[in-house]
Amino acid sequence: MSRGRTSPGRQSESATADLGEFRFESGESIPNLQIAYATYGEFTGDNAVLVCHGLTGSQHVAGYGNGSGVAGQARAWWSDIVGPGKAIDTNEYYVVCANVPGSCYGSSGPASDSPDGDPWGTDFPPVTIGDWTRAQRRLCDHLGIGRLHAVVGGSVGGMNALDWAVRYPDDVARIVVVASAARLDPQCLGLDAIARRAITTDPNWNGGDYYGEDARPDAGLGLARQIGHVMYLSKESMDHKFGRRAAGRGGRGDSYPADPAAMFFPYREVESYLDYQGEKFAQRFDANSYLYLTRAMDDYDLSEGYESDSAALAAFEGEALLLSFTGDWHFTTEQAESLASACRRVEVPVSHHVVESDHGHDAFLVEPEKVGPPVSDFLVDGPSGRAVTDTASDNHVADDETDFAPVHSSLFSR
Amino acid sequence: MSRGRTSPGRQSESATADLGEFRFESGESIPNLQIAYATYGEFTGDNAVLVCHGLTGSQHVAGYGNGSGVAGQARAWWSDIVGPGKAIDTNEYYVVCANVPGSCYGSSGPASDSPDGDPWGTDFPPVTIGDWTRAQRRLCDHLGIGRLHAVVGGSVGGMNALDWAVRYPDDVARIVVVASAARLDPQCLGLDAIARRAITTDPNWNGGDYYGEDARPDAGLGLARQIGHVMYLSKESMDHKFGRRAAGRGGRGDSYPADPAAMFFPYREVESYLDYQGEKFAQRFDANSYLYLTRAMDDYDLSEGYESDSAALAAFEGEALLLSFTGDWHFTTEQAESLASACRRVEVPVSHHVVESDHGHDAFLVEPEKVGPPVSDFLVDGPSGRAVTDTASDNHVADDETDFAPVHSSLFSR
């Protein structure tokens, strides 16, 4: 990309839409749903691509969030994939990304102000992925977008993309579901539940009423995030990143209470990493939002209200790309394959493209050279896109050795 | 087994030995190391089998702990394997099991009294697996046991058994290392570190000084245990046990703080299980002991002080059985195979017997019918025991399909 060049893809907007009264799936309402969003590129009527962020992401999918107080995964979290000349090319597409309701990057949520001027806290209505989708539909109306060219999402954002295909089957031509599944498995449900208990047993959580207090539930939120980080990595990536190596004491993150006997043992790199991540996260994210958003993720079940995953997808007349990663134990390749089978049963054109990667769930963020080409080609040509592979295609079934092998195309190769 | 029959195997003793001054590997000493232990069967001079317990186990490997205030995994934790007529047959062997120093079932540890009459708390010296082994050696001297027929241990107890082979290579004829490894991998190190932080960030932990207080760090210890439980299970076993099913609210364990919005979502069986386990564990275990013992486990490295795992084992002239379980992600089959290779390199006779199981790490406790036969036959005949298989044997290498297949012998079949 040429930074100096003036092109349609360079246009971007970051704003907050007032969408009026919004009734959540729980039946509770708020008088004015605010959705913070960012757009990239120029809308031509049929080129809108909605990108759905992950659990703790923001609307700033491709940067321009520097002045907005966001950090970490919230800032330009997929700028290797989305931008001028990138796989989701903002010279071609009008990319929209919205902070989901319940989050804390400008959209209505527990930390935002209620009508009485104080933060909602835990009086904010419970939030579901269905609510995210419905809020995004409202935002699209607000922006004058009817049918979307595509909805693309990673991790829980992939569930959000799936929900679009079920809820508004005529409104989206293509969905891209990256490192996601039809539902969370009980192992991940268990870890998410533990993470929430780490927050709610922190006395500073105080029943969710800590806004304006000096003491915030940073310890609990930090622990929750540490559990999350282990879920996002893999045994292999942790071996490579940290091994059993000792880190220097007193460095970043080394601020958790410990007893004297702890000093006999090394402070390991893996601890230093987790401590630093926990501390950093507590600075950028809201503890109540973490409760709300993990519950939305845990609750999501593609088949809910239908007889099966297939039945849920039956009305969808668009096409689907599923990307999964061999080292991902948060959302496994097996779960993606099960979802692919559900698509095939109701003749939704689908490709399940498996990426060989040791990076765990994180791969969808840190392996753009493997994610970009199939996404890019699918957005243009659907499941028959050049760099798109499928587990059900003949060349894969015929050859055990190359089954699940990645396509090593270079990014921007088309 | 016949309960009415009077046999030598029915003899048992549960006692506490005063072993005098003990200098820990840290260099710190205590004036009188007390070790709580249990014995089963009759000592004949060459039939002693030391069983090493797991992280939160006790000396009560085969029962007789009912009146001792222990519960859960601390009570009769391997009674399917150890007892009269069982795989480790107390009619044949004199079985000794000792509560490790640092634990809380009667041996010296943070919760036991220091010379000034108050509990040691975190003034108790740091504890290593080497200290466990050295304390067990002292206990054996006290009991008049010279050379052991075998040392058998599961999980961190397997590390304890390995340490015997390294530290006292002439004192043990056979080691049985069940669901264990030469060292913990960084993923498990990370989860253990998070578990410790859950304890030390609980305000009731109070720097380790909570004995005699009404408020104890039960919430933090409960969270730590919940993380442990996820490590002990597997995706498959959690799928079978819980699925995504809802449990009734207000039932066992449902006492963690929650916000009103949580009530919109189901309280799942996996949460109910974890909550109950966390609560139960906090009643039976000491939070400081949990810190001490997980640090000992995390710190253990077979190769420490040697050039390699092989070099550490070179002086061992006995035989080894390694049992691993395909669904175990705490201590993997791959780690056990690496340990087997280390044995083979220095010509320690070894069999690596792989058990096909979906039960995760828990398999070593809950699949006695698969664990018993190889252990039983190995204790009698070593690696050539009838029910013992080995990953390096020809029939395994030759046949991919049956590689790692379990031996479906029934218990007591010999």
Side-chain angles (χ1 to χ4, degrees), chain A residues 231-249:
Chain A
M231 297 169 82
Y232 306 150
L233 301 174
S234 65
K235 272 199 193 296
E236 290 71 21
S237 63
M238 294 185 82
D239 269 336
H240 296 157
K241 262 180 191 298
F242 317 117
R244 291 174 49 90
R245 290 184 295 277
R249 279 203 184 268

Side-chain angles (χ1 to χ4, degrees), chain A residues 295-354:
Chain A
R295 285 193 299 241
M297 174 166 66
D298 291 6
D299 189 56
Y300 181 74
D301 187 335
L302 169 60
S303 68
E304 197 180 310
Y306 296 87
E307 296 234 319
S308 63
D309 292 345
S310 295
L313 292 162
F316 179 52
E317 301 210 338
E319 300 170 323
L321 172 65
L322 314 180
L323 248 77
S324 71
F325 301 87
T326 52
D328 186 353
W329 63 279
H330 193 323
F331 290 106
T332 67
T333 288
E334 290 72 23
Q335 286 173 304
E337 183 59 20
S338 160
L339 183 54
S341 300
C343 289
R344 288 174 197 133
R345 272 194 292 277
V346 287
E347 289 173 8
V348 169
V350 64
S351 283
H352 176 199
H353 181 99
V354 180

Side-chain angles (χ1 to χ4, degrees), chain A residues 1-2 5-13 38-44 47-49 51 61-64 78-97 376 379 412 414:
Chain A
M1 98 185 223
S2 157
R5 183 167 64 107
T6 302
S7 74
R10 299 286 302 154
Q11 293 183 7
S12 76
E13 187 192 339
T39 67
Y40 308 83
E42 193 171 17
F43 186 43
T44 60
N47 71 336
V49 173
V51 176
V61 58
Y64 311 116
W78 227 13
S79 60
D80 290 324
I81 296 292
V82 178
K86 301 287 173 78
I88 302 178
D89 188 348
T90 52
N91 290 322
E92 303 285 336
Y93 302 111
Y94 179 61
V95 172
V96 180
C97 186
S376 170
L379 287 183
F412 320 134
R414 74 184 176 90

Side-chain angles (χ1 to χ4, degrees), chain B residues 26-292:
Chain B
S26 67
E28 296 179 45
S29 298
I30 61 172
N32 181 26
L33 175 68
Q34 293 193 301
I35 292 294
Y37 68 95
T39 66
Y40 307 83
E42 195 172 15
F43 186 42
T44 61
D46 62 356
N47 70 337
V49 173
L50 176 70
V51 176
C52 304
H53 63 70
L55 191 67
T56 67
S58 78
Q59 63 275 27
H60 303 295
V61 58
Y64 311 116
N66 286 329
S68 61
V70 297
Q73 205 203 312
R75 183 165 49 110
W77 54 271
W78 227 14
S79 60
D80 290 324
I81 297 292
V82 178
K86 301 289 173 77
I88 302 179
D89 187 348
T90 52
N91 290 321
E92 303 285 337
Y93 302 111
Y94 179 61
V95 171
V96 180
C97 186
N99 187 221
V100 299
S103 183
C104 53
Y105 290 115
S107 292
S108 298
S112 68
D113 284 345
S114 71
D116 69 12
D118 290 328
W120 284 100
T122 55
D123 289 335
F124 195 78
V127 166
T128 64
I129 288 182
D131 292 325
W132 301 356
T133 309
R134 292 168 56 242
Q136 288 157 347
R137 177 65 270 176
R138 288 266 284 270
L139 176 68
C140 287
D141 293 343
H142 172 84
L143 296 173
I145 302 167
R147 182 172 159 92
L148 288 154
H149 178 68
V151 178
V152 182
S155 194
V156 69
M159 292 171 158
N160 194 169
L162 277 173
D163 192 51
W164 265 89
V166 175
R167 199 170 290 266
Y168 305 114
D170 301 325
D171 289 1
V172 54
R174 290 181 174 139
I175 60 168
V176 179
V177 176
V178 183
S180 193
R183 65 193 60 78
L184 219 55
D185 70 30
Q187 187 185 53
C188 293
L189 290 176
L191 288 167
D192 281 353
I194 298 169
R196 282 192 296 273
R197 281 150 184 71
I199 293 170
T200 61
T201 58
D202 183 330
N204 293 337
W205 177 64
N206 189 31
D209 185 12
Y210 52 81
Y211 302 107
E213 304 290 330
D214 286 340
R216 295 168 65 94
D218 290 349
L221 181 58
L223 286 176
R225 181 59 167 184
Q226 295 189 343
I227 292 171
H229 265 275
V230 175
M231 297 169 82
Y232 307 149
L233 302 173
S234 66
K235 271 198 193 297
E236 290 71 20
S237 63
M238 294 186 82
D239 268 336
H240 296 157
K241 261 180 193 294
F242 317 116
R244 292 175 48 91
R245 290 184 296 275
R249 280 202 184 269
R252 61 177 201 184
D254 185 16
S255 59
Y256 279 82
D259 53 298
M263 300 304 140
F264 177 67
F265 300 97
Y267 180 62
R268 296 187 190 278
E269 283 191 11
V270 61
E271 296 179 90
S272 172
Y273 170 87
L274 292 172
D275 287 348
Y276 177 69
Q277 295 295 339
E279 202 172 272
K280 210 174 61 170
F281 184 68
Q283 287 163 12
R284 79 163 172 94
F285 210 76
D286 176 58
N288 284 332
S289 282
Y290 202 80
L291 301 178
Y292 274 69

Side-chain angles (χ1 to χ4, degrees), chain A residues 167-316:
Chain A
R167 199 171 289 268
Y168 305 114
D170 301 325
D171 289 1
V172 54
R174 289 179 176 141
I175 60 168
V176 178
V177 176
V178 183
S180 193
R183 66 194 60 78
L184 220 55
D185 70 31
Q187 187 184 54
C188 294
L189 289 176
L191 288 167
D192 282 352
I194 298 169
R196 283 192 296 273
R197 281 150 182 73
I199 293 170
T200 61
T201 58
D202 183 330
N204 293 339
W205 178 63
N206 190 32
D209 185 13
Y210 52 80
Y211 303 108
E213 305 290 328
D214 285 341
R216 296 167 67 92
D218 290 349
L221 181 58
L223 287 176
R225 181 59 167 185
Q226 294 188 344
I227 293 170
H229 265 275
V230 175
M231 297 169 82
Y232 306 150
L233 301 174
S234 65
K235 272 199 193 296
E236 290 71 21
S237 63
M238 294 185 82
D239 269 336
H240 296 157
K241 262 180 191 298
F242 317 117
R244 291 174 49 90
R245 290 184 295 277
R249 279 203 184 268
R252 59 177 202 183
D254 185 16
S255 59
Y256 279 82
D259 53 299
M263 298 305 139
F264 178 67
F265 301 97
Y267 180 64
R268 296 189 191 278
E269 283 191 11
V270 61
E271 296 179 271
S272 172
Y273 170 86
L274 292 172
D275 287 348
Y276 177 70
Q277 295 296 338
E279 202 171 271
K280 210 173 58 168
F281 184 67
Q283 287 163 13
R284 80 164 171 94
F285 210 74
D286 176 59
N288 283 332
S289 282
Y290 202 79
L291 300 178
Y292 275 68
L293 300 188
T294 57
R295 285 193 299 241
M297 174 166 66
D298 291 6
D299 189 56
Y300 181 74
D301 187 335
L302 169 60
S303 68
E304 197 180 310
Y306 296 87
E307 296 234 319
S308 63
D309 292 345
S310 295
L313 292 162
F316 179 52

Side-chain angles (χ1 to χ4, degrees), chain A residues 370-394:
Chain A
K370 293 178 178 174
V371 170
V375 170
S376 170
D377 289 0
F378 175 81
L379 287 183
V380 177
D381 295 321
S384 60
R386 201 179 55 79
V388 178
T389 70
D390 182 27
T391 49
S393 71
D394 283 343

